[in-house]
Amino acid sequence: KSHQTNQCVCKVLTVDTMNSCVKKVEYAVRGPIVLRAVQIEKELKEGVQKPFSEVIKANIGDAHAMGQQPITFFRQVLAMCSYPELLDDDRFPEDAKGRARRILQGCGGQSIGAYSASQGIECVRQDVARYVERRDGGVPSDPDNIYLTTGASDGIVTMLKLLVAGEGRSRTGVMISIPQYPLYSAALAELGAVQVNYFLNEERCWSLDVSELRRALADARRHCNPRALCIINPGNPTGQVQSRQCIEDVIRFAAKERLFLMADEVYQDNVYAEGCEFHSFKKVLFEMGPEFSSTVELASFHSTSKCYMGECGFRGGYMEVVNMDPEVKAQLTKLVSVRLCPPVPGQALMDLVVNPPQPGEPSYSTFIRERKATLSSLAERARLTEQILNTVPGIACNPVQGAMYSFPRVTLPARAIREAEERGQAPDMFYCMKLLEETGICLVPGSGFGQRDGTFHFRMTILPPTDKLKILLSKVKDFHQRFIQQYS
Amino acid sequence: KSHQTNQCVCKVLTVDTMNSCVKKVEYAVRGPIVLRAVQIEKELKEGVQKPFSEVIKANIGDAHAMGQQPITFFRQVLAMCSYPELLDDDRFPEDAKGRARRILQGCGGQSIGAYSASQGIECVRQDVARYVERRDGGVPSDPDNIYLTTGASDGIVTMLKLLVAGEGRSRTGVMISIPQYPLYSAALAELGAVQVNYFLNEERCWSLDVSELRRALADARRHCNPRALCIINPGNPTGQVQSRQCIEDVIRFAAKERLFLMADEVYQDNVYAEGCEFHSFKKVLFEMGPEFSSTVELASFHSTSKCYMGECGFRGGYMEVVNMDPEVKAQLTKLVSVRLCPPVPGQALMDLVVNPPQPGEPSYSTFIRERKATLSSLAERARLTEQILNTVPGIACNPVQGAMYSFPRVTLPARAIREAEERGQAPDMFYCMKLLEETGICLVPGSGFGQRDGTFHFRMTILPPTDKLKILLSKVKDFHQRFIQQYS
């Protein structure tokens, strides 16, 4: 220990002298449980005996890693963009070639190796705007309001960065749902903004009650300046799909309370439940008439990483800003220019997502078949997850209406909670860590997302292929029963 | 105006209520002059009459946009990574297939659409470490100290973020060269850190004098806590290549004064001048013996965007940290995990850069030929730029020893300076804007990089193809002479 202290004196940069906001950052989706999972994988490779033969990672929405296949058309176009000599190859269909040519013509020197404009390639932004218009039943979208981003995370952090100001009681507060996706809490910690929690209603399928928004806002106004309201729809980690009525209520609330709306809509194609439908915040906003559509400030986010394509590695995404002050927009454009541009292959992929094969084009039927297969299999897995988990006494799982996650509540015996506390662990971390050690299944404890005090959850993706998912769910079931017995 | 004020009252987010640090950010490389260049391009397309037929952009190190061709081998591998069906195609050589297979095996689900580990794909980090060892004559490199990044910019900003702490007189100061690459000033402004300027010696070919470092540090210690020293070698925007002796002196200085070293070495292959050679800070550090190699904290940065490949659009890069406190390293790993991972196609490309075709492999000779052609043509253009600019009375250009830029000094008539000041413009901005309007040539004024008071410069890339570069240089020459006449 004394040696360590000596060492610290010598170093310029230590935990004591580093950025204190960075120290407060937490990111459970890649936290200690995932580090331990990677370690266990290495141990298995080295021949260490375990009660299981492989680690199953259901901790992160990483579709391809779980075996989902990419959309053929997307990858054909990307291959041609990378190596344009392939444009002469008969193996590729004409529509794929056309898309590749269009993208390359939008690039400096017709190369995806050139920087793009800071805001993104112009023709891609045009395609995004047209996509948004189609999706929203004709509500106009201006390519100048589209910013391509490095995944949705980049856009969200950039918007939060613009919003953070003031000190002490006038410091910017940002309202986020609890449970939340921990990018939000991490970004707020890094920026030194105030996190303002509003709780989703677990009893009503993780729905959002405006009365709870009102409560949270009133509380927050006593110690900070709440200026923005973040919504994730469909929900992460909670899998709910917001009703149109609820979105209207939220917009009315934001308008009345003067809050900047941030709508994280990266799961917009992931809606499975009967009677549920995705409504974009922008569409609802415009349908509410000019009183709202010309005043409420909104940024909405999308990405290539989720939905039916699951292309996380490309870090593609966009955000659309609505009613943003023109001077602020100029500041935003300046800010993003410092990083030069989002990755161009990700921009190309985003273009394909918003401009996929059309009826009559050679790739159309394959594209539709692949997309449908993935989405209907996800719907099946969503159903399966809810059903099987609800057969376990002590686990209660809301319907997975959308997105890629279940967030079931687990009832933990008092003795387990005590033992976890003695170890300085959150009880659901204790539970998940034990699950990992005994079964090889990697989930994320609910405490990493936030939950009502005294309740415990885990987040599990529905992404393992159906066969594996069934095994996983039955292992979770067995484990939970053993765990309850052990600690009762 | 009153309407604007009303509007401001209604908006949640205005320039008055936004993050004030963001407002202070400036980024000349994509500043007003580039916005005007884009506008002029649109005007030309719309048929507006100009004294020129095209805009020549020499404002940014964007090789492919200026017509440089990508390395065939790199793009073949990337195409196969995007669309693995191509692995069966006879058109691709075996070594390219081998690289693609190795990269895909390092990816989740063997897809570049999966997230990688936050620090980057493991086998890519291994390849980077071996590259660093070869480059540095056997100095060991640990893959655990390699972090893949989204271009070098991302790594630099991340390191600065860790370093920023304290308030008032104990606020972190960061030493940067003047002239500098404006990513540094922009990042420091955004983070609210103190920028500590040290001046390069223009009279001695933009070399770095340790006495100037000493002066700058002493001055800075009166009002902040200088903790880091940034070096760009080869230099941007100034094109100098640091001598081994100078690097040693800088390391001694950093060790004595307890400064964290940040070495921006993205131009490491871009060395043209007779007698100049690239020495990495890490290599020199280790050759100075354990007194230094086991204490001085260093982060060095590299990228896929420059050198002979010029693949800016992929946003590939890495940083290596040396002697970093293990607890700080854990914080760094946590911080980068929030953004999930750098773009995987960029990681794949970085892998190819550090693991190119080897003697005996089928792609070797083509690779060497392509690389040599690009680098020798750049050397020729560096020479040409210096020579021609120095034939112009009132322009003085140091040798372009390395990197991709010349940063000549221009002597401006007093009347021009006065007129610029009347318009509220920096005199070299006035000069460059006039050059753009009259000739279509887009350069960046020296004021965007910083320069000694009363001196004026511009940064010009050497990237236009030789024929175009000659035209460009002769246009600059004519313009300068006209300008001098007009304002004398």
Side-chain angles (χ1 to χ4, degrees):
Chain A
K1 192 73 197 165
S2 78
H3 169 72
Q4 265 204 335
T5 313
N6 280 337
Q7 200 181 31
C8 286
V9 173
C10 298
K11 299 276 181 201
V12 175
L13 186 59
T14 68
V15 275
D16 297 325
T17 63
M18 68 177 278
N19 187 331
S20 56
C21 289
V22 169
K23 271 190 279 188
K24 288 181 198 133
V25 168
E26 285 182 29
Y27 191 66
V29 174
R30 291 215 159 159
I33 204 136
V34 184
L35 295 177
R36 179 63 191 138
V38 171
Q39 221 169 29
I40 289 178
E41 274 184 327
K42 275 194 185 160
E43 290 172 17
L44 282 173
K45 257 191 205 158
E46 289 159 3
V48 178
Q49 286 298 310
K50 302 268 177 194
F52 49 86
S53 58
E54 67 166 333
V55 171
I56 307 180
K57 287 189 194 150
N59 60 298
I60 187 167
D62 190 358
H64 290 203
M66 298 312 292
Q68 185 180 309
Q69 293 305 301
I71 297 286
T72 304
F73 179 79
F74 292 178
R75 295 307 196 87
Q76 288 178 332
V77 176
L78 288 167
M80 287 186 275
C81 287
S82 298
Y83 190 59
E85 279 79 353
L86 292 170
L87 284 165
D88 304 327
D89 201 310
D90 290 340
R91 72 186 297 155
F92 294 116
E94 279 310 312
D95 50 350
K97 290 182 179 176
R99 294 298 195 291
R101 282 197 198 95
R102 176 170 156 82
I103 292 166
L104 288 171
Q105 266 153 22
C107 294
Q110 304 211 17
S111 168
I112 58 171
Y115 290 121
S116 76
S118 313
Q119 208 172 336
I121 299 170
E122 190 165 356
C123 72
V124 178
R125 289 190 288 115
Q126 286 164 357
D127 289 348
V128 169
R130 281 197 291 257
Y131 161 81
V132 171
E133 288 179 352
R134 280 196 311 276
R135 182 197 68 188
D136 292 346
V139 171
S141 172
D142 182 347
D144 279 349
N145 288 337
I146 306 292
Y147 288 77
L148 294 174
T149 57
T150 307
S153 304
D154 169 47
I156 292 166
V157 172
T158 301
M159 266 315 306
L160 290 174
K161 199 179 279 174
L162 288 179
L163 280 158
V164 173
E167 291 302 329
R169 288 183 63 169
S170 58
R171 187 71 175 161
T172 293
V174 176
M175 302 184 73
I176 63 172
S177 63
I178 297 294
Q180 56 120 10
Y181 173 54
L183 165 70
Y184 289 90
S185 52
L188 295 176
E190 195 188 313
L191 294 165
V194 181
Q195 175 178 329
V196 176
N197 296 336
Y198 65 89
F199 289 89
L200 299 176
N201 189 337
E202 182 166 14
E203 281 63 45
R204 290 181 48 217
C205 200
W206 298 115
S207 64
L208 195 168
D209 299 337
V210 172
S211 60
E212 166 61 10
L213 289 179
R214 234 174 264 128
R215 189 234 17 110
L217 185 69
D219 280 4
R221 284 202 169 132
R222 289 191 206 118
H223 63 273
C224 71
N225 177 18
R227 301 178 68 202
L229 169 55
C230 301
I231 308 279
I232 312 174
N233 178 50
N236 176 5
T238 37
Q240 82 284 13
V241 176
Q242 256 183 306
S243 70
R244 200 188 173 293
Q245 181 59 51
C246 175
I247 294 174
E248 259 197 60
D249 293 346
V250 170
I251 291 173
R252 255 178 248 283
F253 175 80
K256 176 157 177 277
E257 304 293 349
R258 293 178 37 70
L259 296 167
F260 192 108
L261 270 175
M262 291 177 55
D264 179 341
E265 301 178 325
V266 299
Y267 299 99
Q268 54 191 262
D269 295 328
N270 298 108
V271 176
Y272 316 119
E274 206 64 54
C276 285
E277 203 186 330
F278 171 74
H279 303 276
S280 81
F281 265 76
K282 187 180 171 211
K283 176 168 184 261
V284 177
L285 178 65
F286 275 72
E287 288 171 354
M288 288 166 72
E291 184 195 341
F292 296 94
S293 68
S294 64
T295 60
V296 175
E297 293 152 79
L298 167 70
S300 62
F301 306 91
H302 195 16
S303 117
T304 59
S305 304
K306 311 298 168 184
C307 299
Y308 61 89
M309 51 282 181
E311 295 274 14
C312 313
F314 281 81
R315 316 306 298 121
Y318 74 81
M319 67 174 164
E320 182 180 24
V321 295
V322 176
N323 290 322
M324 183 177 263
D325 182 281
E327 288 179 285
V328 175
K329 230 183 89 176
Q331 292 285 332
L332 169 59
T333 305
K334 178 194 73 179
L335 181 64
V336 298
S337 77
V338 178
R339 301 289 189 94
L340 295 162
C341 69
V344 174
Q347 295 188 45
L349 188 55
M350 193 76 247
D351 187 62
L352 301 170
V353 169
V354 297
N355 186 18
Q358 297 304 308
E361 289 188 324
S363 303
Y364 181 70
S365 62
T366 307
F367 168 71
I368 293 295
R369 182 167 40 75
E370 291 176 346
R371 184 177 69 176
K372 201 182 257 175
T374 298
L375 288 177
S376 62
S377 166
L378 283 172
E380 150 92 12
R381 287 177 267 169
R383 206 178 40 75
L384 205 67
T385 302
E386 178 204 344
Q387 275 181 356
I388 298 181
L389 287 175
N390 279 328
T391 64
V392 189
I395 296 188
C397 183
N398 268 321
V400 182
Q401 297 174 331
M404 297 179 165
Y405 316 99
S406 65
F407 196 71
R409 183 157 169 180
V410 285
T411 309
L412 300 182
R415 209 152 67 78
I417 296 174
R418 256 200 323 277
E419 185 164 332
E421 278 161 1
E422 278 162 25
R423 299 181 182 207
Q425 268 182 334
D428 46 15
M429 171 64 91
F430 176 70
Y431 176 91
C432 287
M433 202 56 106
K434 224 169 146 58
L435 174 75
L436 174 64
E437 296 290 350
E438 292 184 17
T439 66
I441 295 169
C442 180
L443 308 179
V444 190
S447 47
F449 304 89
Q451 53 200 353
R452 286 216 182 256
D453 279 351
T455 69
F456 306 108
H457 301 78
F458 58 76
R459 186 184 83 162
M460 189 190 111
T461 75
I462 58 166
L463 291 177
T466 310
D467 290 354
K468 219 176 221 176
L469 183 65
K470 284 182 182 163
I471 297 170
L472 186 157
L473 288 165
S474 101
K475 281 186 171 186
V476 170
K477 184 174 182 166
D478 293 348
F479 167 81
H480 186 80
Q481 287 166 341
R482 274 201 315 278
F483 185 89
I484 297 293
Q485 274 186 337
Q486 194 183 342
Y487 289 97
S488 286
Chain B
K1 191 75 197 162
S2 79
H3 168 72
Q4 266 204 334
T5 313
N6 280 337
Q7 199 179 33
C8 287
V9 173
C10 297
K11 299 275 182 202
V12 176
L13 186 60
T14 68
V15 276
D16 297 324
T17 64
M18 69 176 278
N19 187 330
S20 56
C21 289
V22 169
K23 272 189 280 188
K24 289 181 198 132
V25 168
E26 284 182 29
Y27 190 68
V29 174
R30 292 214 158 161
I33 204 137
V34 184
L35 295 177
R36 178 64 189 135
V38 171
Q39 220 170 30
I40 289 177
E41 275 184 327
K42 276 194 184 159
E43 290 172 18
L44 281 173
K45 257 192 206 158
E46 289 159 3
V48 178
Q49 286 297 309
K50 302 269 176 193
F52 49 87
S53 58
E54 66 165 335
V55 171
I56 306 180
K57 288 190 194 149
N59 60 297
I60 188 166
D62 191 359
H64 290 204
M66 298 311 291
Q68 186 180 308
Q69 293 305 302
I71 297 285
T72 304
F73 178 80
F74 292 177
R75 294 306 196 88
Q76 288 177 332
V77 177
L78 288 168
M80 286 186 275
C81 287
S82 298
Y83 190 60
E85 279 78 352
L86 292 170
L87 284 164
D88 303 327
D89 200 310
D90 290 339
R91 72 187 298 156
F92 294 117
E94 279 309 313
D95 51 351
K97 289 182 179 177
R99 292 300 194 292
R101 281 197 199 96
R102 175 170 157 80
I103 291 166
L104 288 172
Q105 266 151 24
C107 293
Q110 305 211 18
S111 167
I112 58 170
Y115 290 123
S116 76
S118 314
Q119 207 172 336
I121 298 171
E122 189 164 358
C123 72
V124 177
R125 290 190 288 114
Q126 287 164 357
D127 288 349
V128 169
R130 281 198 290 258
Y131 161 82
V132 171
E133 287 179 352
R134 281 196 310 277
R135 182 197 68 188
D136 291 346
V139 170
S141 171
D142 181 346
D144 279 349
N145 289 336
I146 306 291
Y147 288 76
L148 295 174
T149 57
T150 307
S153 304
D154 169 46
I156 292 165
V157 172
T158 301
M159 266 314 306
L160 291 173
K161 199 179 281 173
L162 288 179
L163 280 157
V164 172
E167 291 302 328
R169 288 183 63 169
S170 57
R171 188 71 176 161
T172 294
V174 176
M175 303 184 72
I176 64 172
S177 63
I178 298 293
Q180 54 119 11
Y181 173 54
L183 167 70
Y184 290 90
S185 52
L188 295 175
E190 194 188 313
L191 293 165
V194 182
Q195 175 178 329
V196 176
N197 296 337
Y198 64 89
F199 290 90
L200 300 176
N201 189 337
E202 182 165 15
E203 282 63 44
R204 290 181 48 217
C205 201
W206 298 114
S207 64
L208 195 168
D209 299 338
V210 172
S211 61
E212 167 60 10
L213 288 180
R214 231 174 267 127
R215 188 232 19 108
L217 186 69
D219 281 3
R221 284 202 169 133
R222 289 191 207 118
H223 63 273
C224 71
N225 177 19
R227 303 179 66 203
L229 169 55
C230 301
I231 309 279
I232 312 174
N233 178 50
N236 175 7
T238 38
Q240 81 284 13
V241 176
Q242 256 183 305
S243 70
R244 201 189 171 292
Q245 182 59 52
C246 176
I247 294 173
E248 259 197 60
D249 294 345
V250 170
I251 290 172
R252 256 179 248 283
F253 175 79
K256 176 158 178 278
E257 304 293 350
R258 294 179 35 70
L259 295 168
F260 191 108
L261 271 174
M262 291 178 54
D264 179 341
E265 301 178 325
V266 299
Y267 299 98
Q268 54 192 261
D269 294 330
N270 298 107
V271 176
Y272 317 119
E274 206 63 55
C276 285
E277 203 186 329
F278 171 73
H279 302 276
S280 80
F281 265 76
K282 187 181 171 209
K283 175 167 185 260
V284 176
L285 179 65
F286 275 74
E287 287 172 355
M288 288 167 72
E291 184 194 342
F292 297 94
S293 68
S294 64
T295 60
V296 175
E297 293 152 78
L298 168 70
S300 62
F301 306 92
H302 194 16
S303 118
T304 59
S305 304
K306 311 297 169 185
C307 299
Y308 61 89
M309 52 281 180
E311 295 274 15
C312 312
F314 281 81
R315 313 308 296 121
Y318 74 80
M319 67 174 164
E320 181 180 25
V321 295
V322 177
N323 290 322
M324 183 177 264
D325 181 282
E327 288 178 287
V328 175
K329 230 183 89 178
Q331 292 285 332
L332 169 59
T333 305
K334 178 193 73 178
L335 182 62
V336 298
S337 77
V338 178
R339 301 289 189 94
L340 296 162
C341 69
V344 174
Q347 295 188 45
L349 188 55
M350 193 76 247
D351 187 63
L352 301 170
V353 169
V354 297
N355 186 19
Q358 297 304 308
E361 289 187 325
S363 304
Y364 182 70
S365 63
T366 307
F367 168 72
I368 293 296
R369 181 167 42 74
E370 291 176 345
R371 185 177 69 175
K372 201 183 256 177
T374 297
L375 288 176
S376 62
S377 166
L378 283 172
E380 150 91 11
R381 286 177 267 169
R383 206 179 39 75
L384 204 67
T385 302
E386 178 203 347
Q387 276 182 356
I388 298 183
L389 287 175
N390 279 328
T391 64
V392 189
I395 295 187
C397 184
N398 269 321
V400 181
Q401 297 174 332
M404 297 179 165
Y405 316 98
S406 65
F407 196 72
R409 182 158 169 178
V410 285
T411 310
L412 301 182
R415 209 151 66 78
I417 297 173
R418 253 197 328 275
E419 184 164 332
E421 279 161 0
E422 278 162 24
R423 298 181 184 210
Q425 268 183 332
D428 45 16
M429 172 64 92
F430 175 71
Y431 176 91
C432 287
M433 202 57 106
K434 225 170 144 59
L435 174 74
L436 174 63
E437 297 289 347
E438 291 184 16
T439 68
I441 295 169
C442 180
L443 308 179
V444 190
S447 46
F449 304 90
Q451 53 200 352
R452 286 215 182 257
D453 279 350
T455 70
F456 306 108
H457 302 78
F458 57 76
R459 187 184 83 162
M460 188 189 110
T461 74
I462 59 167
L463 291 176
T466 310
D467 289 355
K468 217 174 223 178
L469 183 66
K470 284 181 182 164
I471 297 172
L472 185 158
L473 288 164
S474 103
K475 282 186 171 186
V476 169
K477 184 173 182 166
D478 293 349
F479 167 81
H480 186 81
Q481 287 166 339
R482 272 201 317 277
F483 185 90
I484 297 293
Q485 273 188 338
Q486 194 185 343
Y487 289 97
S488 286

